[in-house]
Amino acid sequence: MEKKLKIAIQKSGRLNEDSIKILKEAGIEFQNGLNKLKAEAVNFPLEVFFLRDDDIPQYVEDGVADIGIVGENVFIEKNKQVKIVDRLGFGKCRLSIAIPKNQKYKGLSDLEGKRIATSYSTVLSKYLKKNKISAEIHEISGSVEIAPGIGLADAICDLVSSGSTLFTNGLKEVEVILKSEAVLIANNNLSKEQQAILEKLLFRISSVKKAKSNKYILLNAPNKNLDAICKILPGMKSPTILPLADKGWSSVHSVVNENDFWDIIEKLKNKGAEGILVVPIEKMIL
Ligand code: PRT
Ligand code: ZN
């Protein structure tokens, strides 16, 4: 029987949907529903285990799963013998220290001797030690943001994304300890066969990521400005140019990166480009 790679992803929670999505976008299809403990891909040698995110680093270290998707914050907190093989660009957040909003804050030394509630005690204690602050860490597993309000702590250390949880609990963010996103972790002792499947998966994921950050652009350009317009649009090799029925005009096709996107559109318009169409790219293989 063909060897399979086992991947652990979060069973339910913030990373579940995007983890499944990235596998599907990589062209991997699943036969049975994705709401069980285990699912098998029908067109790729991959088996998916659904677990609590906290347990994933341990399972990957033990080789129960070969690879897994977790928040980098969990990877760091659990400190297991596994390695990060890719960063996935979703589940972005930061681990921050927050205090009641009406309290003055001049710097880390204000936390000296204070009680800080967190579910991330390993990361927090390392951070405090590095900065030579001694504070009391109260490890709690959920609803950390209510701790100051009920008098359990003076400050909290928790994940923040939009900041609205801090806001509604009357807290303000004063220090960012780390920035996190979902990462793909792998066991350190994969067999050659498993490594080869992982390489295939990583290649597919990178094509999906590249495609997402790039757009296909089509526009009509006056021939007299074609040179200038081609300089603005580098494309993968060079832009494709097709003559239009209307003499003196051409259709130009290229690929642009999302980061430079608006800047490029602006420049194109200044050079007389018209009828600009921008379309998403599904996969991009270079
Ligand atoms: O059941 P299981 O143990 O698997 O799930 P969980 O409850 O431990 O984790 P879950 O689903 O909440 O989060 C999984 C991962 O998502 C985390 O480890 C992070 O890597 C990532 N992530 C991204 C976040 C957030 N953003 C986030 N905002 N995890 C948690 N939060 C929480 C935060 O703890 C706080 O309560 O959301 C609240 C703050 O959000 P804002 O938007 O109000 O700032
Ligand atoms: Zn968890």
Side-chain angles (χ1 to χ4, degrees):
M1 205 182 78
E2 191 191 17
K3 185 91 187 148
K4 287 192 173 162
L5 195 70
K6 292 169 283 179
I7 183 170
I9 66 170
Q10 196 187 23
K11 183 170 169 55
S12 64
R14 284 165 199 265
L15 301 184
N16 169 266
E17 251 175 47
D18 284 333
S19 301
I20 292 171
K21 192 162 141 233
I22 204 160
L23 296 176
K24 285 190 170 166
E25 283 171 343
I28 299 169
E29 290 164 24
F30 299 91
Q31 197 168 37
N32 43 4
L34 285 165
N35 49 2
K36 305 200 179 109
L37 287 175
K38 226 166 84 166
E40 272 185 49
V42 290
N43 57 355
F44 195 83
L46 190 75
E47 202 172 347
V48 185
F49 292 140
F50 299 95
L51 299 164
R52 281 202 59 193
D53 65 347
D54 313 73
D55 300 333
I56 292 177
Q58 181 74 62
Y59 278 113
V60 173
E61 182 184 283
D62 294 344
V64 175
D66 305 308
I67 59 174
I69 297 177
V70 287
E72 197 178 358
N73 52 296
V74 171
F75 164 79
I76 296 173
E77 179 67 26
K78 300 295 172 192
N79 196 21
K80 299 292 174 194
Q81 295 303 305
V82 296
K83 60 184 175 208
I84 293 183
V85 292
D86 204 2
R87 313 181 66 81
L88 302 174
F90 58 85
K92 287 194 175 162
C93 58
R94 51 198 189 271
L95 184 67
S96 293
I97 297 179
I99 61 169
K101 68 164 184 278
N102 50 12
Q103 242 160 60
K104 289 215 178 79
Y105 186 80
K106 291 194 292 298
L108 267 177
S109 58
D110 288 358
L111 297 172
E112 185 67 39
K114 296 280 163 66
R115 297 163 304 161
I116 311 176
T118 190
S119 316
Y120 292 89
S121 55
T122 309
V123 178
L124 176 61
S125 69
K126 270 192 198 147
Y127 177 79
L128 293 174
K129 202 167 176 188
K130 196 181 86 197
N131 288 285
K132 302 197 169 59
I133 302 291
S134 60
E136 216 179 283
I137 297 175
H138 280 250
E139 164 113 35
I140 48 182
S141 60
S143 305
V144 172
E145 65 279 358
I146 64 166
I150 59 172
L152 185 74
D154 308 301
I156 67 163
C157 165
D158 198 12
L159 297 173
V160 181
S161 45
S162 68
S164 70
T165 302
L166 293 183
F167 182 79
T168 50
N169 286 282
L171 300 168
K172 65 178 175 191
E173 194 174 356
V174 292
E175 301 287 346
V176 176
I177 296 184
L178 63 89
K179 290 195 172 151
S180 175
E181 67 184 280
V183 291
L184 188 67
I185 56 170
N187 177 280
N188 284 328
N189 306 303
L190 293 183
S191 69
K192 254 198 176 140
E193 228 171 349
Q194 290 165 323
Q195 188 64 36
I197 305 172
L198 174 59
E199 298 296 332
K200 260 192 201 173
L201 179 65
L202 287 172
F203 175 73
R204 290 189 184 200
I205 291 175
S206 87
S207 310
V208 173
K209 282 199 296 194
K210 264 183 225 129
K212 272 192 191 161
S213 60
N214 286 281
K215 301 277 181 253
Y216 194 74
I217 183 167
L218 306 94
L219 57 91
N220 295 335
N223 287 344
K224 63 178 169 51
N225 288 349
L226 265 182
D227 276 353
I229 285 181
C230 289
K231 282 209 184 88
I232 303 169
L233 284 175
M236 293 223 262
K237 273 214 169 75
S238 67
T240 307
I241 302 173
L242 303 165
L244 287 186
D246 189 348
K247 273 210 184 103
W249 283 79
S250 299
S251 166
V252 179
H253 300 198
S254 189
V255 172
V256 296
N257 193 280
E258 206 162 42
N259 298 331
D260 324 318
F261 184 72
W262 290 110
D263 205 34
I264 287 178
I265 300 277
E266 197 68 26
K267 287 184 184 155
L268 291 171
K269 280 170 65 189
N270 287 338
K271 292 289 172 198
E274 287 178 12
I276 304 175
L277 292 182
V278 176
V279 288
I281 300 170
E282 200 182 283
K283 308 260 183 336
M284 197 163 144
I285 323 276
L286 298 175

